[in-house]
Amino acid sequence: MTKPRSPWQRYVDAAVTGQPPSVGPADTAGGVSLPARSAADRHRYTAPGRFEGLRERLQETIFPLVPAPGPEATRRRTDVRLVPSALLVWGAAVAGSWLEPAALAGICLVLLACSALLLLRVSARAAAVARAGVGPGAVVGSGAGATPREHPRRRSALATLAVALLLSAAAGAHGAVASSQRHDGAVAGAVAARAAVVAELEVVGTPRRLRAPGSSGLADRWAVPATLLTLDFGGRRILAGAKLLVLGGAEWEHTTPGQRIRTTGKLKPPEPGQAEAAILAASSAPRTARAPGPWQRGPGELRTGFTAAASRLDGDARGLLPGMVTGDTSALDPQLDAAMKTVGMTHLTAVSGANCSIILGSMLFAARSLRLKRTAAAAVCLAGLGMFVLMVGPDASVLRAAVMGAVGLMALAGGRTGRGLSFLCLAVIGLLLAEPALSTSFGFLLSVLATLGIVVAGRPIMTWFPAAVPRWAAAGLAVPLAAQTFCGPVIVLLQPQFSSYALPANVVAAALVAPVTLLGTAAVPLVALLPAAAAVPLGIAAVFAGGVGGVARFFASLPGAVLPWPEGGFGVATMALLSGVVLAAAWLAFHPAAAVCLAVRAHTKTVDWLEHTWPPGARRHSGPERRRRGLVDRSGRGTLRVCKRSSGRKREWLLPRPNAPGRRRRRRPPGVM
């Protein structure tokens, strides 16, 4: 009578054969058959089944997470229909900055033709279905030419793609107009000849200090974006509306948007991909031909007055507070600027989307606290956001954040919330259609990537935290992590280095940014209207701004704060890989039971791979000894061994045994023949 197998022996056989444990005829005791086990019971005896049970017990005892969401808590599916539109518009805008007008005209014609074909197809299918009057999945027509009705989702996708092609053609046409000014006409000829000109232009942006001295030798250099109105050179006058970038000395610091000035200088060609038609190296101070209007002069005066009031403060707040509130970094300490670049905190001095989000969120909270209706609250928030944009200036990141907030508020007023990716795509499309030059701006790209990371990965990362962690703490960690992982590959292109403490530095500073933004913004109009009343919010904001500077200096002084990183495409690829590894490691850290289950699955896959790589085989000679490979059951010992192909003297792995008993083999000392 055959001895029945024990449960352990059945488990060993299952591991060797790759089949679940089963009860056979040999496993009967005393002629009584053992009860047959169901598939679920047999699964409990396998390694994955045992670890799944362990995971369930851990979740019930040690890791009590939130209960499973019901139907009302089901998350809305991400709407990606506008993503192709945004990508096509962005690509057309980038092409407008690099290609010549003839090539852009051909691209626009191709895009228009494709859009027209798609629209004709959609309209023809819709008309055929309307005439037939049948439901989804029915056949339209009769005979051999009968075709099934097109699904509504497919028609919607085709219509969306047609609109995307149409919008990209509009962006390409807008870029072709600017490209014609760079490649054709009298302005392009003057730029190619590097002519000395007398220009009348209008300032359209805030002056920006340049750190590098340049070829002129001026230590204090400023870059001023402007629009060229008239150009005098070679005894003739040219009327033009081209974009221009003026490089001048310290006297250009006080120019304001909307101011019309006259100056002299030498034209230079721009860099490839640059939006401006020319660069004017000014050789004289600007002479005002027309002062800006009150709406254009007011924001500049507010920023200047706030910078002057902050100059009376002590410590890092003297230059950091104007940068965090209005984006004016002219008085920022060079050492503090270097420290903030080291730890990845320069976005705090650029009036990025975080500032607009804080302002918008605080105004929305105040409006809802006053029990205003949804439409009235949206109107108040839009008005406040517009005033904030006028105060800090229409920078790329500020415009992106303002448009994003406006679209989100319109959707909120209509009752359609939770579509952050669609809002971002609408913001990108609107901004690129209005200003195609933003497509080549690294600041605009970083702001879009940061928002994309927060929209796509911010909320899922927040759900990784246990229920005991407050929501504000989870958001404070999830938002910097998501933004940093999405912006890291692009930052490597600007600075081929890795900031080791960027994430903890931004997490610590996040608690100090909101008071600086709110109190500093409230102090900006008070400085001009009631200087005495502005002292209180200015002083409190200065304390928090000093804390931000202290955080930057502390993390920048730690060892290994900056590590070298490869440049170019390889650096971008490796940084993207590191970002994915960091997210995966964070997910595993917050899901220990799932990590154990994944480890078990990896172990199972490895065992299967070993079985397929080293299948069991027979010796060339016959006999009781058989040559086996793979997982081998050592009968009676309760263990498994992995064997490989060898000479047959030892079936196990050929491992050295330095402590084996017996006489050791004597070796000659080094150097002895």
Side-chain angles (χ1 to χ4, degrees):
M1 180 177 177
T2 305
K3 183 179 180 180
R5 295 182 300 170
S6 64
W8 172 252
Q9 188 64 33
R10 291 198 299 271
Y11 172 74
V12 169
D13 294 341
V16 173
T17 60
Q19 300 295 330
S22 60
V23 180
D27 302 325
T28 59
V32 180
S33 300
L34 296 178
R37 302 178 186 271
S38 62
D41 293 336
R42 291 197 302 268
H43 180 67
R44 291 169 51 193
Y45 285 92
T46 61
R50 293 176 183 271
F51 277 99
E52 286 179 4
L54 176 62
R55 181 184 62 179
E56 295 175 358
R57 289 193 296 271
L58 287 175
Q59 288 182 346
E60 293 174 358
T61 56
I62 304 178
F63 306 104
L65 302 179
V66 295
E72 69 281 355
T74 303
R75 294 193 308 171
R76 185 189 297 272
R77 296 171 60 183
T78 303
D79 191 355
V80 297
R81 289 177 295 178
L82 292 178
V83 173
S85 303
L87 294 178
L88 286 174
V89 171
W90 201 322
V94 171
S97 301
W98 287 86
L99 301 181
E100 296 184 357
L104 288 174
I107 293 176
C108 291
L109 290 177
V110 172
L111 293 174
L112 288 175
C114 295
S115 177
L117 290 177
L118 289 176
L119 289 177
L120 287 176
R121 175 181 172 82
V122 172
S123 60
R125 301 291 290 184
V129 171
R131 289 194 302 268
V134 294
V139 177
V140 178
S142 60
T147 56
R149 178 188 177 185
E150 200 167 19
H151 198 276
R153 291 185 178 179
R154 185 178 179 184
R155 294 203 309 270
S156 176
L158 292 177
T160 303
L161 182 58
V163 174
L165 294 173
L166 188 62
L167 292 175
S168 59
H174 195 172
V177 175
S179 178
S180 63
Q181 297 175 349
R182 294 192 302 268
H183 295 88
D184 302 327
V187 177
V191 173
R194 297 177 180 267
V197 299
V198 178
E200 182 176 352
L201 45 89
E202 182 177 353
V203 180
V204 296
T206 305
R208 177 171 52 89
R209 182 191 292 272
L210 300 178
R211 301 296 181 184
S215 58
S216 61
L218 296 175
D220 194 5
R221 300 173 63 238
W222 292 79
V224 182
T227 300
L228 181 62
L229 301 178
T230 61
L231 190 67
D232 298 333
F233 77 101
R236 54 177 179 164
R237 168 169 290 189
I238 300 173
L239 299 178
K243 293 182 179 180
L244 206 65
L245 183 64
V246 183
L247 302 181
E251 59 272 5
W252 289 85
E253 176 185 359
H254 304 290
T255 56
T256 57
Q259 182 181 5
R260 182 174 294 186
I261 57 179
R262 292 179 60 87
T263 185
T264 60
K266 189 175 182 180
L267 291 177
K268 297 180 180 180
E271 296 292 334
Q274 195 169 352
E276 289 79 13
I279 297 176
L280 178 63
S283 58
S284 62
R287 296 178 56 186
T288 303
R290 190 188 68 182
W295 290 101
Q296 297 171 326
R297 187 174 61 251
E301 293 178 352
L302 287 177
R303 291 193 300 268
T304 303
F306 184 78
T307 303
S311 62
R312 296 189 291 269
L313 300 173
D314 297 331
D316 293 334
R318 180 186 297 112
L320 185 57
L321 185 58
M324 296 183 65
V325 177
T326 63
D328 185 4
T329 58
S330 58
L332 188 62
D333 186 15
Q335 295 182 356
L336 179 58
D337 187 21
M340 297 185 72
K341 289 181 179 179
T342 300
V343 296
M345 295 174 58
T346 53
H347 62 93
L348 297 179
T349 59
V351 192
S352 59
N355 301 74
C356 290
S357 300
I358 293 173
I359 296 296
L360 193 63
S362 60
M363 296 191 67
L364 182 61
F365 176 76
R368 298 300 290 175
S369 299
L370 296 176
R371 299 187 181 277
L372 296 179
K373 295 183 179 180
R374 182 179 298 172
T375 306
V380 171
C381 293
L382 286 177
L385 186 62
M387 295 179 62
F388 178 76
V389 171
L390 289 177
M391 183 184 69
V392 301
D395 195 18
S397 60
V398 179
L399 284 175
R400 193 272 312 157
V403 175
M404 180 73 175
V407 174
L409 278 178
M410 287 189 295
L412 182 62
R416 296 178 63 84
T417 59
R419 295 188 175 181
L421 185 59
S422 300
F423 299 158
L424 178 61
C425 292
L426 285 175
V428 169
I429 292 172
L431 289 174
L432 291 178
L433 289 177
E435 188 63 35
L438 294 177
S439 61
T440 57
S441 172
F442 273 101
F444 180 71
L445 176 60
L446 288 174
S447 63
V448 171
L449 287 178
T451 307
L452 179 64
I454 295 172
V455 168
V456 174
R459 188 174 295 274
I461 294 176
M462 290 176 59
T463 59
W464 296 353
F465 291 84
V469 178
R471 186 175 179 83
W472 60 267
L477 293 174
V479 169
L481 178 59
Q484 189 70 25
T485 52
F486 275 70
C487 294
V490 178
I491 295 177
V492 169
L493 293 176
L494 299 175
Q495 296 177 344
Q497 62 185 23
F498 175 69
S499 300
S500 306
Y501 307 108
L503 181 60
N506 282 275
V507 169
V508 175
L512 307 174
V513 173
V516 173
T517 303
L518 295 177
L519 295 175
T521 304
V524 170
L526 291 178
V527 168
L529 300 177
L530 297 172
V536 176
L538 194 64
I540 300 176
V543 174
F544 288 97
V548 173
V551 170
R553 292 182 184 273
F554 170 74
F555 282 99
S557 62
L558 295 178
V562 178
L563 301 177
W565 200 265
E567 301 181 2
F570 181 73
V572 173
T574 52
M575 181 58 70
L577 179 61
L578 177 63
S579 300
V581 170
V582 169
L583 287 179
W587 186 86
L588 292 176
F590 285 107
H591 300 80
V596 172
C597 186
L598 288 177
V600 172
R601 291 180 181 177
H603 170 72
T604 305
K605 295 293 184 182
T606 305
V607 171
D608 294 340
W609 178 77
L610 290 174
E611 288 289 348
H612 286 84
T613 305
W614 294 307
R619 279 183 171 273
R620 295 180 180 177
H621 57 83
S622 60
E625 287 290 333
R626 300 186 60 86
R627 187 176 179 182
R628 295 180 294 177
R629 293 182 298 161
L631 285 178
V632 179
D633 176 24
R634 303 180 64 179
S635 177
R637 300 189 181 183
T639 59
L640 296 174
R641 283 295 183 94
V642 178
C643 298
K644 70 173 187 177
R645 186 183 298 277
S646 64
S647 61
R649 293 175 297 178
K650 187 176 182 180
R651 296 195 300 270
E652 291 80 6
W653 288 100
L654 303 179
L655 300 176
R657 304 179 64 185
N659 299 323
R663 184 177 180 181
R664 295 189 178 182
R665 185 177 180 180
R666 301 187 63 179
R667 298 181 180 179
R668 295 178 181 271
V672 177
M673 301 300 295

